[in-house]
Amino acid sequence: MAERGRPRSFDRAQALQKAMEVFWSKGYEAASLSELTEAMGINSPSLYGAFGSKEDLFREAVELYRETAGGGSRRALQDGATAREGVQAMLMAAAERFTAPGTPPGCMIVLGAPSGSVNHASVGEFLCDSRREMQARIQTRLAAGVADGELPAGTDVKALAAFYTTVLHGMSIQARDGAGRKTLQSVARQAMCAWDALTGSRPPSGVPPGHARS
């Protein structure tokens, strides 16, 4: 028997996908309940019955984003044969993802809620934790590069991870402000030009100093 207030045709996964798109486009605070329920094809009692609250719905939507549209950069980072290739692939994947047709520009986790929002502090902290998690992944990948001998033993992987995380987040903001894919790809390449100076390592064979591979 269907729960009270829930349409018989209710598809929770599909409704969550629609909610994710609204939050991604508008952010947590600007996404109204009426916009969410309209996009999800349900009423308010159904939303509360299936997801608990707007914040609970948002948290689920963020997790869905991380596992689907938002997971490309994370996977690219891990799949790179070297730390350098992983970081570059991460940035190039972000340039593509942040400007993909048919989806909101930028990253939902970066743009989902303003930092320091008093009214929704728990939401802001939740997103902050997600951003820290990505930075930790970058740092771990860089540390593996040190362990493998790709990067010098004295490389400050914490600072380097912070730098490339800042580039990644900045690309998201640029996309939201209207930057196109070519612009973001150029930003990614420029960021990789800093790799040798920041790590004190030699460029890959066949690549002149100060030039990243495209």
Side-chain angles (χ1 to χ4, degrees):
M1 180 177 180
E3 292 185 24
R4 184 177 180 183
R6 179 181 299 181
R8 292 181 182 275
S9 60
F10 177 82
D11 184 323
R12 192 180 191 281
Q14 184 178 30
L16 181 60
Q17 173 71 30
K18 294 298 184 181
M20 181 192 78
E21 294 169 2
V22 174
F23 283 128
W24 187 358
S25 176
K26 292 181 170 292
Y28 179 78
E29 293 189 50
S32 67
L33 283 175
S34 61
E35 289 172 320
L36 288 166
T37 53
E38 181 178 356
M40 297 165 75
I42 58 177
N43 54 30
S44 295
S46 295
L47 187 154
Y48 293 124
F51 298 99
S53 68
K54 179 184 176 182
E55 182 173 335
D56 292 334
L57 173 62
F58 179 74
R59 287 172 179 263
E60 281 201 50
V62 169
E63 293 303 324
L64 177 62
Y65 174 83
R66 282 167 53 88
E67 296 304 317
T68 55
S73 292
R74 186 171 68 250
R75 291 188 290 270
L77 174 69
Q78 296 304 127
D79 291 345
T82 64
R84 180 182 188 135
E85 290 179 4
V87 170
Q88 179 165 310
M90 173 192 75
L91 296 178
M92 296 303 282
E96 182 174 348
R97 177 66 265 167
F98 295 166
T99 57
T103 61
C107 173
M108 179 181 178
I109 293 172
V110 173
L111 303 168
S115 299
S117 175
V118 176
N119 295 330
H120 305 290
S122 61
V123 172
E125 187 60 31
F126 170 65
L127 291 177
C128 187
D129 286 342
S130 295
R131 293 190 292 269
R132 290 193 191 104
E133 191 268 345
M134 185 60 189
Q135 182 166 330
R137 284 179 179 270
I138 297 172
Q139 184 171 331
T140 297
R141 188 67 187 87
L142 294 170
V146 174
D148 293 340
E150 176 195 353
L151 299 175
T155 300
D156 188 343
V157 295
K158 183 176 181 180
L160 192 59
F163 173 78
Y164 282 107
T165 302
T166 301
V167 173
L168 183 66
H169 292 173
M171 289 170 63
S172 174
I173 295 171
Q174 287 287 307
R176 181 57 60 91
D177 288 346
R181 181 168 300 178
K182 289 184 178 180
T183 296
L184 297 188
Q185 289 172 336
S186 178
V187 169
R189 293 189 183 99
Q190 290 298 317
M192 293 311 300
C193 285
W195 179 273
D196 299 326
L198 292 171
T199 64
S201 58
R202 298 177 61 184
S205 178
V207 179
H211 291 74
R213 288 177 291 180
S214 60

